[in-house]
Amino acid sequence: MGGRVIYIPIASPIHDPDAVRAVNDSIKGSIKGLIDGERGVTTSVSGVRELGVEGVAAYVAPVLTGGTEHLVLELARKGAPVAVVAHRGQNSLAASLEAISRIRYEGLPAHLLMFGDRGFRESLEVFLRASRAYSGVRGSRVILVGEPSPWLIYSNEQLGALRKLLNLEFVRVGVDEVVNDAARVSEGEVSEALRRFRGADMVGVGVEDVARAVKVYVALRRVLNRAGARVLTIRCFDMLDYGLTACLALSMLNDEGFTAGCEGDVPSVVTMALLSGVSSRPSFMGNIAWVERGEVLVAHCTVATKLVASYRLRTHFESGLGVGVEGSLPKGSTVTMARLDALRGVIRAGVGEVVNEGPVTRDACRTQVLVRLKGGLKLVENPLGNHYVITLGDYRRELKVLAGLLNLGYEEV
């Protein structure tokens, strides 16, 4: 997820220009390479108002002096996340604290950073990753292929809250429309897409099965392209009525940088989009299949092949139909697990270690990730729903900042 990072230092017009210049040069020099554009020192509301917002992922706003609270607030009201950077002198911190208190009261996205603290540059990098995820998802279109699955009796209650939280636009498409589109996909399109599975290990499925699954991928990609969208979730079990599954199609879309989730689960696909945004990697959505002795088993029948060490193609677990993906995340790798809950106003996240290198049971979906997670029992003792999202790496800091930008709580497991 892209977007420009604009540096806009803010100062009162009555302060010593030499002192202002010295601290501004020091801050700017410390973050070289992290910003895409800059403005001169801004001392008026009109100077803030004339800033364009198109394509801006975040503003970095050093508060060079006191008496600038109204300028910082005006900048935050533009809607892009703001890194409010305080330094040790010129009443900078006092102004920053007053400004960010009002900004948070208004529910605007901002984060306070302290220049001079050890790790300032790294903290800014964390903020920028969180901001790009925020700006990449906020205001976006989410394709709902079919209605959310009826068994998601808690998750389905979140659509209105998610729409408000991230200004989302939901675009509804019928499952039958996708099936009809898939039937019209040309053999040439199928042959081209099939190349990526040349030599893939297949168990219980053949080339014809994969070809039918690839047609679903082509149809779903057309839906995304027509709508100008990057995020999609599908009521995939309805595909079984046509002898089809969406598992392989979702895997392919996630490999290509789209965010594509199962079961029409909107909270999960939004979590996927945010976690992929902070990590610049695909993410995996799965059921909490079991929790025991500090280990959590997360399983589903699709996963991006770019996320795994190896994979093979099998049938869908529950139905034995279509094509699912059995992938293995690298054993010993660090992963982040997360879920956004818009009703309770929280992002829950934890970091663990993958302890398996293949399926651990016949009684769960094809891709199985067994994670050693210290606080795993909290997923059962204080549940937020059945699906969690996983990606490689530790992104707790980014998710904590992201929770702040969204005015949500942050909870670690």
Side-chain angles (χ1 to χ4, degrees):
M1 297 182 182
R4 294 178 300 143
V5 177
I6 305 301
Y7 181 87
I8 173 167
I10 291 174
S12 164
I14 66 171
H15 280 259
D16 177 10
D18 291 334
V20 166
R21 187 180 307 109
V23 70
N24 184 44
D25 289 347
S26 182
I27 295 172
K28 188 165 60 173
S30 74
I31 60 173
K32 189 175 181 180
L34 298 184
I35 56 176
D36 306 305
E38 62 179 281
R39 292 289 300 264
V41 176
T42 300
T43 60
S44 67
V45 168
S46 60
V48 175
R49 286 178 178 167
E50 69 184 25
L51 287 169
V53 296
E54 186 69 28
V56 174
Y59 294 106
V60 178
V63 179
L64 302 176
T65 72
T68 52
E69 293 86 346
H70 58 302
L71 302 180
V72 181
L73 177 60
E74 193 69 31
L75 182 62
R77 284 175 173 167
K78 287 187 165 293
V82 180
V84 179
V85 181
H87 66 95
R88 294 180 185 275
Q90 305 289 329
N91 289 318
S92 169
L93 181 58
S96 298
L97 291 171
E98 184 71 15
I100 205 159
S101 298
R102 175 63 181 268
I103 288 167
R104 288 180 176 172
Y105 172 73
E106 293 194 10
L108 302 170
H111 183 66
L112 179 61
L113 294 170
M114 306 280 283
F115 175 68
D117 276 3
R118 187 178 300 171
F120 166 72
R121 182 183 172 95
E122 182 184 357
S123 295
L124 180 59
E125 290 173 328
V126 167
F127 165 79
L128 293 178
R129 286 191 288 271
S131 295
R132 287 191 168 103
Y134 174 97
S135 297
V137 175
R138 183 169 175 79
S140 62
R141 290 177 176 170
V142 178
I143 306 296
L144 305 184
V145 181
E147 292 298 314
S149 296
W151 52 82
L152 298 175
I153 58 174
Y154 177 65
S155 301
N156 290 348
E157 293 296 307
Q158 298 196 40
L159 269 69
L162 283 166
R163 181 188 289 112
K164 183 177 180 181
L165 179 69
L166 283 158
N167 191 30
L168 299 175
E169 178 187 352
F170 296 131
V171 179
R172 287 176 161 80
V173 176
V175 172
D176 56 345
E177 181 180 336
V178 171
V179 172
N180 290 336
D181 273 358
R184 292 191 290 267
V185 173
S186 71
E187 292 306 313
E189 291 173 293
V190 172
S191 296
E192 183 179 348
L194 277 175
R195 289 177 188 167
R196 68 173 83 177
F197 301 110
R198 189 174 294 162
D201 189 13
M202 300 184 191
V203 179
V205 298
V207 174
E208 288 302 315
D209 300 307
V210 178
R212 294 188 74 208
V214 163
K215 289 183 177 182
V216 177
Y217 150 76
V218 175
L220 289 177
R221 176 151 187 168
R222 287 176 180 171
V223 168
L224 286 159
N225 290 339
R226 281 197 298 266
R230 305 291 302 174
V231 182
L232 174 148
T233 184
I234 180 170
R235 182 166 162 149
C236 43
F237 276 76
D238 283 11
M239 302 288 288
L240 298 176
D241 294 339
Y242 304 91
L244 297 169
T245 60
C247 309
L248 187 63
L250 300 182
S251 171
M252 296 171 75
L253 290 170
N254 283 307
D255 274 336
E256 293 179 1
F258 294 98
T259 301
C262 314
E263 300 180 33
D265 188 336
V266 177
S268 290
V269 82
V270 170
T271 306
M272 288 177 72
L274 292 171
L275 191 53
S276 291
V278 299
S279 67
S280 299
R281 288 188 171 100
S283 52
F284 164 67
M285 160 194 169
N287 297 320
I288 300 296
W290 195 248
V291 180
E292 187 174 16
R293 295 190 299 273
E295 293 180 349
V296 179
L297 179 60
V298 185
H300 243 186
C301 283
T302 182
V303 65
T305 63
K306 288 184 178 179
L307 203 60
V308 300
S310 63
Y311 74 94
R312 57 183 184 172
L313 303 182
R314 300 186 61 186
T315 57
H316 175 248
F317 166 63
E318 288 94 338
S319 66
L321 299 174
V323 182
V325 183
E326 180 191 283
S328 298
L329 271 66
K331 184 177 180 180
S333 58
T334 297
V335 293
T336 300
M337 288 181 59
R339 181 177 170 98
L340 182 155
D341 188 317
L343 292 178
R344 299 193 198 180
V346 67
I347 292 177
R348 175 182 284 175
V351 165
E353 177 188 351
V354 177
V355 296
N356 67 317
E357 52 186 353
V360 297
T361 176
R362 298 180 188 178
D363 295 327
C365 296
R366 303 306 191 189
T367 292
Q368 299 175 17
V369 186
L370 189 62
V371 181
R372 184 175 293 121
L373 185 68
K374 185 178 179 180
L377 276 177
K378 193 166 190 176
L379 311 186
V380 176
E381 294 168 348
N382 184 16
L384 299 181
N386 68 329
H387 291 135
Y388 274 73
V389 178
I390 289 178
T391 198
L392 294 170
D394 182 349
Y395 294 98
R396 286 172 294 182
R397 292 178 65 189
E398 287 82 357
L399 291 175
K400 187 174 183 179
V401 171
L402 183 58
L405 296 179
L406 291 167
N407 259 357
L408 300 175
Y410 173 78
E411 179 183 289
E412 197 163 308
V413 295

